[in-house]
Amino acid sequence: MKGFIGEFEELVLLTIASLAEDAYGVAIKESIEKRADRSISIGALHSTITRLEEKGYLKSWLGEPTQERGGRRKRYFEVTHQGKIELHNMKALRDELWKLSKATLSLAK
Amino acid sequence: MKGFIGEFEELVLLTIASLAEDAYGVAIKESIEKRADRSISIGALHSTITRLEEKGYLKSWLGEPTQERGGRRKRYFEVTHQGKIELHNMKALRDELWKLSKATLSLAK
DNA sequence: CTATTTTTAAGATTAAATAGAAAAATTTTT
DNA sequence: AAAAATTTTTCTATTTAATCTTAAAAATAG
């Protein structure tokens, strides 16, 4: 067990958090594609989600069938407490490094 | 060619930026270990650095031999303009997601 | 030549991407 | 109403890329 979170794993966790009540596969995919301006495959998303659940950073449950059009029941996701802690840790580290590098990383010519 | 930066690649870039004038292998390794409280191998660091140079996010040059103890000459690193842009993009996306998820990600019980 | 410091290379493991099959629900057709 | 087709979504298998581990090689000083 290692515990580190990859770049895509972190993006998925943050997106799920931002979607709150409506975090299921297809909505997560569309949200990432819109915000990150990057096209992702649903398969890549799903295998990442499975990995995150195994690591204990994500939990899920099946929703009730909606009376809209067709379709399989949605599986909803939520970031666990442990997942939130990891996200906070990663943010704290990056914020510190950005603070230290502010001058160096300026894009001004 | 894809262009995405992995979790460790980003950490390395930020650390190099934060070290400014003294960014060479061993110093980078020690800085990461101290700040991230995570032990890394020098080999993992160097293969990541090589990848970042190939992608154009990092440039390097050999330093002069120091007249201290023995040892090979140091190779110094610097984040390229392209690398800075990538770091800025990643930061902007995460900042946005954090802003949207603030309530959800609170650690309060 | 020996000890030190650092880089570099090779091989194994884990994360992420691609491609597409399988399920479950609704709608249309016979 | 049963069968077939359609829609929406989840899940599986395989390949490719990122990361880790281990250890060898190179350069410098004494």
Side-chain angles (χ1 to χ4, degrees):
Chain A
M1 221 277 267
K2 305 215 354 326
F4 292 117
I5 289 185
E7 184 269 335
F8 190 56
E9 292 176 325
E10 184 180 7
L11 180 56
V12 169
L13 285 180
L14 285 173
T15 301
I16 287 171
S18 78
L19 288 171
E21 302 299 305
D22 196 44
Y24 74 101
V26 174
I28 298 166
K29 168 174 151 61
E30 287 173 355
S31 178
I32 291 177
E33 292 190 321
K34 180 182 146 207
R35 287 231 164 62
D37 189 33
R38 138 187 187 182
S39 124
I40 69 168
S41 78
I42 191 74
L45 175 61
H46 198 270
S47 57
T48 298
I49 276 172
T50 302
R51 224 181 306 125
L52 286 169
E53 276 196 288
E54 285 166 359
K55 288 178 179 174
Y57 297 138
L58 214 52
K59 61 187 162 194
S60 74
W61 62 93
L62 278 179
E64 289 308 305
T66 65
Q67 55 272 68
E68 291 168 14
R69 282 152 299 186
R72 196 168 171 170
R73 286 198 286 165
K74 296 171 181 171
R75 176 172 294 278
Y76 290 97
F77 298 95
E78 193 179 284
V79 181
T80 62
H81 185 69
Q82 207 192 331
K84 292 179 188 178
I85 291 176
E86 265 303 305
L87 288 174
H88 274 268
N89 288 344
M90 296 180 83
K91 177 170 166 54
L93 174 58
R94 288 212 193 85
D95 285 352
E96 187 192 352
L97 288 169
W98 266 97
K99 199 173 156 189
L100 291 169
S101 313
K102 213 173 169 183
T104 315
L105 289 178
S106 159
L107 290 179
K109 254 309 173 48
Chain B
M1 221 279 269
K2 306 211 357 319
F4 293 117
I5 288 184
E7 184 269 334
F8 190 55
E9 291 176 327
E10 184 181 8
L11 180 55
V12 168
L13 286 180
L14 285 173
T15 301
I16 287 171
S18 79
L19 288 172
E21 301 299 304
D22 195 44
Y24 76 101
V26 174
I28 299 166
K29 168 175 150 61
E30 287 172 355
S31 178
I32 290 177
E33 292 190 320
K34 179 182 147 209
R35 288 228 165 65
D37 188 35
R38 142 185 187 181
S39 126
I40 68 170
S41 77
I42 191 73
L45 175 61
H46 267 99
S47 59
T48 298
I49 278 172
T50 302
R51 222 182 309 124
L52 286 168
E53 276 196 287
E54 285 166 359
K55 289 178 179 173
Y57 297 139
L58 216 51
K59 61 188 162 195
S60 74
W61 61 95
L62 277 178
E64 289 307 306
T66 64
Q67 54 272 70
E68 294 169 10
R69 285 149 298 184
R72 195 166 173 173
R73 285 196 286 165
K74 296 170 182 171
R75 177 172 293 277
Y76 290 97
F77 299 96
E78 193 178 284
V79 181
T80 63
H81 184 71
Q82 206 191 332
K84 292 179 189 179
I85 290 176
E86 267 302 306
L87 287 175
H88 276 268
N89 288 343
M90 296 179 84
K91 177 170 166 52
L93 174 58
R94 287 212 195 83
D95 285 353
E96 188 192 352
L97 287 170
W98 266 97
K99 200 172 156 191
L100 292 168
S101 314
K102 213 174 171 184
T104 314
L105 288 178
S106 159
L107 290 180
K109 250 319 175 40

